[in-house]
Amino acid sequence: MKKISELKTLELGPIKVSDYLNSVVARNIIYMTLAIILFFFGVIIYGIVLNLRQVSLSEAMEQNGLGDLKNVSLVVDRKTYTLSIYEDEILVKSYRASFGRMINRPKIKAGDGATPVGEYRICSIDTAVTYYKFFKINYPSLNDAVEALKKGWISQREFNDIKFQYYYENCTQFHRILGGNIGIHGIGRFNYILKNLPFVFNWTDGSISLCDEDIDELYSIIKVGTKVVIK
């Protein structure tokens, strides 16, 4: 209350703080702040409860009668905000996923904040990155390059470079027009907060994000060459 009394003596030009700040207003501000804090913690607790209900990958495999996974592919659905593991045609498990900020359109150019759509492969696996682990996909793919060439966004020489990288170098390089460095990664520093939100928050530059624990499950079954379909 001492600070409130000090604030009342302030004058901002012709405006006196005491004309607007009184004990009732101060009390309402405190109540509103406490309500926001309680709401935030309530949201986190609800998210924790939802996460506790998820089965582990090993349990999901057992439920599907699978001893191991030999022919894994990943299907990413931007409409349902999920990344699903398939063994041949069998759906093994689905995870909640976050995407690029521009969720309503497919990636076509560098810096557009969108997630690419199409068929890709995991081309490298990095376990020492800011976002915990990073499974890079070969974007731009040959199909992405073909479409860009048709639209006149890239030259024939640039197309040939992407084609060479696609067939002989596994990972295609970042392209000044089409972008790149897209993949599946964790959350990292803010994992505990973001993974426990009961809603999807699309925050990446175009990559697909799962919580760190889900990334660990993926890491145990994927490899370079694993098929990734994004739709």
Side-chain angles (χ1 to χ4, degrees):
M1 289 300 179
K2 182 179 179 182
K3 290 186 176 180
I4 294 175
S5 299
E6 293 175 354
L7 283 173
K8 287 182 179 181
T9 63
L10 291 177
E11 293 187 11
L12 304 175
I15 300 174
K16 294 182 179 180
V17 175
S18 59
D19 293 337
Y20 299 93
L21 184 63
N22 53 51
S23 59
V24 175
V25 173
R27 186 167 58 248
N28 288 339
I29 292 173
I30 293 172
Y31 288 161
M32 182 64 71
T33 302
L34 290 174
I36 292 172
I37 293 172
L38 288 174
F39 174 77
F40 177 77
F41 279 104
V43 166
I44 295 296
I45 291 172
Y46 179 61
I48 292 173
V49 171
L50 290 179
N51 285 332
L52 289 174
R53 295 171 60 184
Q54 289 189 4
V55 299
S56 67
L57 178 58
S58 59
E59 289 172 327
M61 290 170 59
E62 184 177 346
Q63 290 173 5
N64 284 280
L66 299 170
D68 56 3
L69 302 178
K70 298 179 180 178
N71 189 28
V72 171
S73 62
L74 307 179
V75 176
V76 179
D77 193 328
R78 296 178 305 139
K79 291 183 179 179
T80 59
Y81 301 101
T82 57
L83 181 150
S84 300
I85 299 173
Y86 280 82
E87 170 66 10
D88 291 322
E89 300 299 320
I90 301 173
L91 172 60
V92 181
K93 183 179 178 180
S94 294
Y95 301 93
R96 187 179 68 167
S98 298
F99 302 100
R101 296 181 296 275
M102 302 302 292
I103 187 61
N104 294 320
R105 65 186 186 192
K107 186 174 188 63
I108 54 175
K109 290 188 176 182
D112 61 8
T115 299
V117 172
E119 184 175 314
Y120 302 93
R121 299 276 176 180
I122 292 176
C123 63
S124 72
I125 298 173
D126 191 347
T127 59
V129 292
T130 301
Y131 299 118
Y132 192 59
K133 290 181 174 73
F134 183 60
F135 313 143
K136 186 177 180 181
I137 63 173
N138 56 348
Y139 173 89
S141 68
L142 189 59
N143 287 336
D144 297 318
V146 168
E147 290 300 315
L149 181 63
K150 288 180 180 178
K151 294 174 182 177
W153 293 347
I154 64 175
S155 66
Q156 183 65 51
R157 180 176 179 178
E158 289 175 308
F159 172 80
N160 292 338
D161 287 342
I162 294 174
K163 183 178 179 180
F164 179 85
Q165 295 163 17
Y166 182 82
Y167 281 118
Y168 299 105
E169 297 182 357
N170 285 329
C171 287
T172 48
Q173 300 173 11
F174 182 92
H175 188 272
R176 60 185 182 86
I177 300 296
L178 303 181
N181 295 330
I182 301 294
I184 303 166
H185 61 65
I187 299 174
R189 183 178 179 184
F190 297 104
N191 181 63
Y192 188 79
I193 295 175
L194 292 183
K195 79 172 183 178
N196 287 317
L197 292 178
F199 53 85
V200 174
F201 173 53
N202 293 310
W203 58 276
T204 78
D205 290 330
S207 288
I208 299 131
S209 174
L210 278 62
C211 73
D212 294 352
E213 293 78 5
D214 293 346
I215 285 292
D216 280 337
E217 289 194 342
L218 278 187
Y219 181 67
S220 69
I221 59 168
I222 58 96
K223 58 186 178 181
V224 171
T226 296
K227 180 180 176 181
V228 181
V229 176
I230 308 174
K231 57 184 183 178

